[in-house]
Amino acid sequence: MPEVVALGEPLVQFNAVTTGPLRHVTYFEKHATGSEANVCVALVRLGVSCGLITRLGLDEFGLFIYNWLRGEGVDVSRIKFDPERPTGIYFVQRGYPLPGVSDVVYYRRGSAASALSPGDVDAEYIGGARVFHTSGITLAISESARDAAFRAMEVARSRNVLVSFDVNYRRKLWAREGDAVGVLTKALGFVDILFLDSDEARLLLGVSEPGDVFREVSARFGIGKVVLKLGVKGSIVYWDGKVARADAFRVPVVDPIGAGDAYAGVLLASVLRGLPIEQAVVRASAAAAMVVMTRGDEENLPREEDLERFLSGYGRQVDFR
Ligand code: KDG
């Protein structure tokens, strides 16, 4: 049984090879992505086993993702193929109008993963893990996927499996902001380890200062492990009464998509391996920086030796600070 089980939609990403508006882009590069799949790959690259519960279309893109995840060592035994529905895809516009910032265009409505339902939630499988991970994206893609995510969180809680949740608010996936606030707030009631950024904190809690965010989530939802991502200002983590911070590593940004998943996956891998939280946040921050240096969300996810080389060599030959 894997140490971590995740639930969510993998997607094929078509990333613009050149920057600028998509209407002028001719070449796209194909990548296996999707938030929870990214977290799984981040974990297995650091030696922590992870299984993904999902559905893929029985099509070329579904096979591509399946083979990629299997090749990376993710447990694919709970992935189902749907011959009726397609695998979700999306396009990435890079560096326009803002340098270093990307935009996404989704083609995922009615995808195979949007048909995820509570029937896909294998309680024994989740019950055998140490951590269950999902995100606000899974809560947004369809009602049945949302039900599956809530069911999986309930199962995890009832079996003493820690629930890790990344708010991952994606405005384009919700009809109304108010719907998102209602559903995401309900989810916080199931969470043990919470990842969110300042905008998401403002949206869900009405506060964004680190001390206020921690106070709110701990008083209202009893969450004791909170990771607040502050973009270029780094991150601050409240972990069972301890506070740890990490600066953001300054690197040339090719595409920032996937940074949050790299952070979450590497932080989880590090704490599951028994590293102190102060070390885990620095490693997570380094992994996020590594991922934004290239197109695609998973290619630059570090193995242990890559992480060590980054941390020991950062700023020595080229100073981006
Ligand atoms: O976190 C990165 C993901 O956002 C990206 O791979 C696409 O999963 C995705 C989504 O739903 O936005």
Side-chain angles (χ1 to χ4, degrees):
M1 289 284 190
E3 273 182 85
V4 180
V5 170
L7 172 80
E9 176 167 33
L11 296 163
V12 175
Q13 175 193 86
F14 290 93
N15 202 311
V17 170
T18 47
T19 56
L22 282 191
R23 60 186 177 273
H24 299 304
V25 171
T26 306
Y27 299 107
F28 293 89
E29 212 175 60
K30 175 164 75 58
H31 298 273
T33 67
S35 182
E36 292 84 355
N38 296 343
V39 169
C40 282
V41 173
L43 284 155
V44 295
R45 287 216 178 154
L46 289 175
V48 175
S49 55
C50 185
L52 183 66
I53 300 177
T54 196
R55 288 176 162 264
L56 293 168
L58 186 55
D59 50 27
E60 291 300 325
F61 295 147
L63 291 169
F64 162 61
I65 287 173
Y66 184 84
N67 289 346
W68 169 271
L69 293 176
R70 193 172 52 171
E72 289 292 330
V74 175
D75 180 16
V76 292
S77 63
R78 268 46 174 199
I79 297 183
K80 293 179 185 157
F81 282 99
D82 184 336
E84 309 294 333
R85 290 168 175 267
T87 303
I89 67 168
Y90 71 112
F91 292 81
V92 177
Q93 169 173 301
R94 293 188 304 111
Y96 186 86
L98 282 168
V101 176
S102 296
D103 262 334
V104 298
V105 183
Y106 295 122
Y107 292 86
R108 67 193 304 181
R109 193 164 300 147
S111 68
S114 71
L116 273 164
S117 74
D120 295 313
V121 174
D122 180 336
E124 293 309 311
Y125 190 62
I126 293 174
R130 293 173 67 192
V131 174
F132 168 75
H133 177 82
T134 192
S135 87
I137 296 171
T138 311
L139 298 179
I141 56 175
S142 72
E143 258 177 51
S144 66
R146 179 181 311 160
D147 293 345
F150 277 116
R151 170 88 193 112
M153 290 194 281
E154 261 165 29
V155 165
R157 296 285 293 210
S158 72
R159 297 185 182 224
N160 294 323
V161 176
L162 289 178
V163 174
S164 161
F165 182 76
D166 191 332
V167 172
N168 265 345
Y169 174 58
R170 302 283 186 267
R171 181 66 190 91
K172 289 180 181 172
L173 298 181
W174 296 91
R176 282 170 296 272
E177 191 180 86
D179 297 348
V181 173
V183 172
L184 294 168
T185 308
K186 179 178 163 198
L188 297 189
F190 294 87
V191 172
D192 298 295
I193 306 173
L194 176 65
F195 297 89
L196 80 175
D197 66 26
S198 321
D199 291 338
E200 291 165 342
R202 207 171 296 112
L203 179 73
L204 299 186
L205 308 163
V207 293
S208 60
E209 284 305 312
D212 299 337
V213 172
F214 177 62
R215 213 169 305 115
E216 281 289 303
V217 289
S218 111
R220 283 174 59 192
F221 305 100
I223 305 173
K225 298 177 173 69
V226 184
V227 176
L228 183 63
K229 293 172 281 180
L230 305 167
V232 292
K233 293 196 191 134
S235 54
I236 177 160
V237 175
Y238 295 87
W239 204 263
D240 297 333
K242 278 189 177 179
V243 183
R245 289 165 208 272
D247 288 335
F249 290 90
R250 308 261 162 173
V251 293
V253 179
V254 173
D255 173 21
I257 297 180
D261 305 326
Y263 190 109
V266 172
L267 186 115
L268 290 175
S270 305
V271 295
L272 285 170
R273 281 294 163 266
L275 295 179
I277 193 64
E278 294 80 0
Q279 222 175 311
V281 292
V282 174
R283 287 159 59 89
S285 187
M290 291 167 84
V291 158
V292 305
M293 296 190 296
T294 192
R295 291 185 291 273
D297 302 359
E298 298 182 7
E299 284 75 358
N300 273 17
L301 286 167
R303 292 177 180 78
E304 194 56 48
E305 37 308 0
D306 306 323
L307 202 48
E308 279 162 24
R309 279 181 66 197
F310 180 94
L311 287 167
S312 60
Y314 177 79
R316 286 227 185 131
Q317 278 155 328
V318 185
D319 193 353
F320 295 106
R321 285 164 291 186

